[in-house]
Amino acid sequence: MARDSQAALVALNRFGFGARGGASGDLINAASDPRGFVKAELARPNGVLLEAPGLQSTPQLGQAVFAYQDQVKQAREAAAKAGAPAEAATPADQKPGLRRNLSLNAVATEIAGQMAEAKPIDNKPTDNMARPDAMQPNVAAPPAAKPAPQPLNVIQKTFRAEALARLQRATLVECGFTERLVVFWSNHFCISASKGELARIWAGAFEREAIRPHVLGRFADMLKAVEQHPAMLFFLDNQQSLGPESRAGQNRKRGLNENLAREIMELHTLGVGGGYTQEDVTSLARIITGWTFAGRQGQLGTPGSFVFNTNAHQPGPQTLLGKTYEATGLAQGEAALADIARHPSTANFVAVKFVRHFVADDPPPALVARLRDVFVKTDGDLRAMATALVDSDEAWKAPLTKMRSPYDFLVASGRLLARVPEDPGAYLNGLNLLGQPMWAPAGPNGFPDTAAAWAAPEGIKLRLDIAAQLGARLGNSIDPLDLLEFAAADAASIETRRTIERAESRQQALALLLMSPEMQRR
Amino acid sequence: MMIDCVENRLLTSRRGLLLGGASFAAWAYLPKFARAAEGRDPRLVVVILRGALDGLSTVAPVGDPDYAGLHGSIALTADGAHPAIMLDSFFALHPAMPEFARMYRDMQAAVIHAVATPYRDRSHFDGQDVLESGYAGPGRVQSGWLNRALEALPRGERVSSGLAVGPTAPLVLRGNAPTVGWAPVALPQADDDTAMRLVDLYRHRDPALASVLSQGLQLERAASGNDMKPKPGNQVAQMRQVARGAAKLMAADDGPRIAALAFDGWDTHANEGGPVGRLAFLLGGLDGALAEFESGLGERWRDTVVVVATEFGRTARINGTDGTDHGTATVALLAGGAVKGGRVISDWPGLKPANLFEARDLKPTTDLRSVIKGVLQDQFGLSDRVLAETVFPDSASARPMKGLVT
């Protein structure tokens, strides 16, 4: 097959995280068989899983938070006894009581202030850029390589280690299609790390445990894994929701909280207008009462693990979307979720979102219909849906009009520069600055997914500032025209090529390359 | 340790805000009549509270016999350690809002109660779309009612205050009329030459990005030299800070006259709190922001109207977790020297079970569009027809409310 650089751009940018620099040969490989290049990753379902030394399970992490909170409390009590002010007992960044009411923005502002001195990606020597081993991660390196002014607590350390593992994976994978799928589903079923300490420590584990195993599996399985994950139950308050007629509800005079039930139907499955009513929301809220996680005392089970608390569960059969679910405890909710996953509205909602993410803000209706049919016929087989997308003509013919999100942009830049992060700090700072803080969207609807949302004056200007910083740091030892070959080869426009050739310095040329339409659009 | 979604939503806005749980954006032009008219130089600030404000906790109908039972553990009372502030014999203001209470006494603040947009479902995202777009239903609309109102105003000179690069404008102010905003950041900036080369490349290859980047660069140039960098602080401090910055900009002779702010974090599903607690904390921030506008605008306060609105209210009865779920009618607040204040305007529907909307929410008796149309008409002289067809399409039945502005 003839080499088709334009199709290679689609393969790498629309479906993946962009071409890697160095000796990867990504663009050449993608050009010789664009579809095959993208689909190769779908054949390796285990490749979606993320296991790295030191990454722990949700119960282990929950217990670490409980232990940390106990320590802080004891230190505070000891200090109070000794007559010292409580603050003196713990380092400034380890005071959860204070930190809870601090806005993350304040933190982001602090970080932005440090950005001038921060190393944009990492500080490895750049003379070995062309060697393939430049792409090997230093897995043995500790996640936080830079000495911090204050020691990080277990929550911050975990968050950074999880972020680093994800960033390294994204930088190293061949095409990046499955990693893009992970990011898509993780955003569809998002939680926010800024909900609190448990959410922050669980954010990475949630994605590893509830999203990744099902990205090439069944939607219904992902849905169940998500809604039973302690991070989601915590994020949308379900651990507080009690059946009004349950024993706990009666004893404690508390009751329902609709938050999770509503977002399951509105954001996770049926979508607004998907055919449910307020009655259905309340009914589902009753059905999933008792879905919680075991607390620090472990009365219900291993602390930090999902448990079904019969005492909190609303007794009796419930009617949802016209069907009655008998009182079968945990199975009642599982049956309801399984039916919602199969609902025609869910197939439609998911297909529209999927095509909008990968192809165009206004998704081509014929393609949406085809993916919806695949979803229905295969009972929500997500690999089949991804395959159908890659097999479609629309996905290859539609112009590259989507904007890379800040995450896509930073990862694509790191790949092209062949720099495997050893510290996530610069990425996390950049994401905060560009409005896409890692695992922390502002609401349960996740980050926006339209070109307009990311192609805003502020955002583009800030990207340019970041690109200029990268250019200033790295431009000296890089030939931007070589990088243009890696990134786009003869699919690059004449104007982009000329702009880079005529730049007044290599630093400037690198900044312009990173900001070129070839690097910004996907 | 229970932390619910409120705190998460304090942190960043839903709409791609870069720094700050509060955002500010303004029309890039002066209305032409502003300078010509002697004496009066009207200003309008629209404050959007995202997440659905509990109107029954903000301005509590303590005179309604059903209120205390429905709002239960979080109900406000006129007595006790933290008494609500009686606005009249029936309604009481949340004790976290002493500044608004003072404005109310000075006849410079008013409350509209049992108010709602035409939206009757309970999705935040659709509710916000209706609130901000001004259309009768949700849809993928890309312009807001305030922007369309600006298009109907005669356009004068460009504002030239120290406006920094702004965050994405909230939907209410998005559209054809150009806007500027403000979100300070501390990052070394690309030099002009690099920027111009990139603009040139975009002009040839990607005109949409060329326009976006040019706007970003222009705004930044206008902003250089300003000292309004945010300082670390909590949400309340940030709300005040954004308001202070906005007021400073708007007080200038060549500063913006019409602006919008969005504050996030009002989705109080659990542990909402009564006279003290989470909602009290947020309302304190809002109250502080209003006070910042009053002091920052100085002489201009007398020509100012601040409209505070939210996408919908919350359930009349508290839920099982001492919070409130998504509801329907709520309050809108007006503050400013130009407001004909000292009044709670309400066709009170009552809180008897039969009077509640769908047996759970405060029933809407006033259309929020009537309130906003009234303000736009009195402040800027927009006609009934423009208001009913362009600004709020298909809203002829929601007549502009008269006499909200002095």
Side-chain angles (χ1 to χ4, degrees), chain A residues 488-506:
Chain A
D490 50 352
S493 71
I494 294 164
E495 290 87 346
T496 294
R497 189 174 294 278
R498 280 207 195 120
T499 300
I500 292 167
E501 281 169 357
R502 292 174 184 175
E504 64 173 11
S505 64
R506 287 179 164 222

Side-chain angles (χ1 to χ4, degrees), chain B residues 322-342:
Chain B
D322 290 334
T324 45
D325 288 315
H326 302 182
T328 308
T330 182
V331 290
L333 307 179
L334 302 179
V339 173
K340 202 180 279 179

Side-chain angles (χ1 to χ4, degrees), chain A residues 19 25 46 110 131 331 341 404:
Chain A
N46 285 337
E110 284 165 31
R131 287 165 47 202
R404 276 193 165 134

Side-chain angles (χ1 to χ4, degrees), chain A residues 116-251:
Chain A
E117 297 96 57
K119 297 179 171 106
I121 288 190
D122 70 35
N123 205 24
K124 275 201 313 192
T126 52
D127 52 353
N128 59 352
M129 291 250 345
R131 287 165 47 202
D133 64 357
M135 292 300 288
Q136 295 308 308
N138 187 355
V139 282
K146 273 191 295 182
Q150 295 280 2
L152 297 177
N153 66 37
V154 64
I155 298 156
Q156 296 161 321
K157 270 188 212 154
T158 303
F159 186 81
R160 291 169 68 91
E162 296 275 4
L164 182 64
R166 193 208 221 206
L167 287 162
Q168 289 184 336
R169 165 67 62 81
T171 311
L172 287 164
V173 284
E174 205 156 284
C175 171
F177 186 38
T178 50
E179 285 303 300
R180 286 277 309 280
L181 289 169
V182 168
V183 173
F184 171 81
W185 287 113
S186 185
N187 193 51
H188 177 81
F189 287 115
C190 69
I191 63 147
S192 176
S194 38
K195 172 85 166 181
E197 292 177 331
L198 284 170
R200 180 154 294 265
I201 205 167
W202 277 339
F206 169 73
E207 185 176 282
R208 286 187 289 112
E209 295 167 354
I211 303 293
R212 287 183 179 270
H214 310 293
V215 154
L216 299 178
R218 289 178 64 250
F219 180 80
D221 295 337
M222 193 188 291
L223 181 66
K224 180 179 153 194
V226 162
E227 314 304 356
Q228 293 187 343
H229 197 281
M232 181 61 77
L233 297 167
F234 177 69
F235 176 52
L236 292 177
D237 306 322
N238 209 63
Q239 89 282 13
Q240 301 190 48
S241 186
L242 305 178
E245 273 87 47
S246 70
R247 196 180 307 165
Q250 294 283 304
N251 289 343

